[in-house]
């Protein structure tokens, strides 16, 4: 399978803990996007990278959130001091330049 | 501010019928309008997309109609099948704006159930 891969698929954590998610994009894709999707809603844009450069961050991305794409390949999204409101599906997508976005199957985060 | 409004929230259609989902946008700078299909536990998958220089695009049983003056676009699923039961999202982006990437703004989704 050469699609977008996300790990883990599910994460349950206690409030206040830190969590980190990983995304492996389609290998030739230079752009990588993070979205958040809550139940019954459409995905909301969080941030995106072109190669290793983070070019835009949404206002949704508070200072507890940080994303990296150190070598322009895989990316990590870290949430520090998790809150119950962080519970959501975190989706990663990749594209080649302005081509269509290909999404992974997401990481479902539950904060208890 | 919700920039892409989608309706209805849910839809039930008989097998063989036509499913119609509508979206309206506010930002006139949007120039790319895709539709995504999402099954439970999966990420969204691109179905079909349109740009504002055409009024209609058809791929198999899926058709997008686009009305630039009304700032509306819709998805028609012809001959709906039980396997089409999923949540559908419209989206929009501005690809021309420098640095915008292909950042998509999604509608709220429509849950479609096709009854056999």
């Amino acid at each position: 399978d050469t699609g977008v891969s996300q790990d883990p698929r599910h994460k349950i954590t206690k409030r206040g803990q830190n969590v980190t998610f990983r995304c492996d994009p389609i290998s030739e894709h230079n752009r990588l996007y993070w979205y958040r999707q809550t139940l019954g809603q459409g995905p909301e844009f969080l941030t995106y990278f072109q190669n290793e450069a983070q070019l835009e961050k949404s206002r949704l991305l508070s200072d507890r959130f940080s994303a990296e794409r150190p070598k322009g390949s895989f990316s990590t999204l870290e949430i520090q001091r998790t809150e119950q409101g962080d519970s959501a599906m975190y989706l990663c997508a990749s594209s080649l330049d302005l081509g269509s976005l290909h999404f992974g199957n997401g990481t479902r985060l539950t904060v208890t | 501010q919700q920039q892409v409004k989608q309706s209805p929230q849910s839809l039930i259609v008989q097998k063989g019928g036509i499913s119609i989902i509508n979206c309206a946008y506010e930002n006139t700078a949007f120039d790319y309008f895709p539709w995504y299909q999402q099954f439970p536990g999966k990420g969204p998958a691109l179905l079909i997309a349109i740009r504002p220089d055409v009024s209609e695009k058809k791929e198999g049983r899926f058709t997008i109609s686009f009305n630039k003056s009304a700032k509306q676009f819709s998805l028609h699923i012809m001959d709906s099948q039980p396997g089409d039961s999923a949540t559908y999202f419209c989206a929009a982006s501005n690809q021309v704006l420098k640095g915008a990437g292909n950042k998509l703004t999604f509608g709220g989704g429509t849950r479609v159930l096709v009854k056999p």
Side-chain angles (χ1 to χ4, degrees), chain A residues 9 31 35 37 48 56 105, chain B residues 38 41 43 99 101-104:
Chain A
R9 290 297 314 278
R31 297 188 185 212
Y35 282 78
Q37 185 177 27
Y48 94 94
E56 187 173 346
N105 288 326
Chain B
Q38 186 176 30
N102 196 5
K103 183 183 75 175
L104 294 173

Side-chain angles (χ1 to χ4, degrees), chain A residues 57-69:
Chain A
K57 294 194 293 186
S58 162
R59 291 173 297 169
L60 294 174
L61 212 65
S62 75
D63 55 8
R64 296 186 297 105
F65 288 69
S66 63
E68 294 183 344
R69 193 182 184 199

Side-chain angles (χ1 to χ4, degrees), chain A:
Chain A
D1 186 351
T2 57
V4 177
S5 176
Q6 293 190 244
D7 184 70
R9 290 297 314 278
H10 304 275
K11 178 70 177 179
I12 301 174
T13 191
K14 292 185 177 180
R15 187 165 54 99
Q17 298 295 304
N18 299 343
V19 294
T20 300
F21 311 140
R22 177 180 170 121
C23 172
D24 287 272
I26 294 172
S27 59
E28 63 268 27
H29 285 183
N30 56 346
R31 297 188 185 212
L32 186 148
Y33 307 77
W34 285 99
Y35 282 78
R36 182 173 70 187
Q37 185 177 27
T38 52
L39 201 61
Q41 301 296 318
E44 295 175 295
F45 171 78
L46 292 179
T47 187
Y48 94 94
F49 294 83
Q50 179 166 309
N51 300 312
E52 66 275 8
Q54 188 173 18
L55 296 188
E56 187 173 346
K57 294 194 293 186
S58 162
R59 291 173 297 169
L60 294 174
L61 212 65
S62 75
D63 55 8
R64 296 186 297 105
F65 288 69
S66 63
E68 294 183 344
R69 193 182 184 199
K71 298 182 179 178
S73 56
F74 73 92
S75 174
T76 58
L77 177 67
E78 181 183 17
I79 308 174
Q80 297 183 327
R81 306 181 303 281
T82 53
E83 302 173 354
Q84 286 189 321
D86 297 331
S87 296
M89 174 79 83
Y90 290 85
L91 292 164
C92 176
S94 69
S95 72
L96 178 61
D97 296 320
L98 293 177
S100 58
L101 269 64
H102 296 256
F103 282 85
N105 288 326
T107 293
R108 179 164 295 284
L109 173 66
T110 302
V111 182
T112 62

Side-chain angles (χ1 to χ4, degrees), chain B:
Chain B
Q1 181 186 16
Q2 184 183 6
Q3 295 193 47
V4 180
K5 295 184 179 180
Q6 185 172 345
S7 63
Q9 286 187 310
S10 63
L11 181 60
I12 300 174
V13 63
Q14 292 296 126
K15 178 182 174 182
I18 303 173
S19 304
I20 302 174
I21 306 170
N22 300 297
C23 282
Y25 62 97
E26 299 168 8
N27 186 347
T28 55
F30 286 149
D31 57 11
Y32 174 70
F33 303 89
W35 285 88
Y36 280 80
Q37 179 189 56
Q38 186 176 30
F39 293 105
K42 301 291 187 181
L46 178 68
L47 260 183
I48 186 172
I50 198 168
R51 296 186 187 279
D53 54 344
V54 297
S55 60
E56 186 174 284
K57 182 174 181 180
K58 183 177 180 179
E59 289 184 2
R61 295 185 294 110
F62 301 94
T63 300
I64 299 180
S65 298
F66 185 83
N67 185 330
K68 187 175 181 178
S69 61
K71 294 187 287 185
Q72 295 176 347
F73 58 111
S74 60
L75 176 70
H76 293 226
I77 307 174
M78 313 299 287
D79 188 26
S80 297
Q81 299 296 311
D84 297 332
S85 297
T87 300
Y88 293 81
F89 294 96
C90 61
S93 69
N94 180 347
Q95 296 190 325
V96 173
L97 180 65
K98 185 177 180 180
N102 196 5
K103 183 183 75 175
L104 294 173
T105 299
F106 283 85
T110 297
R111 182 175 290 185
V112 174
L113 175 63
V114 181
K115 289 194 167 183

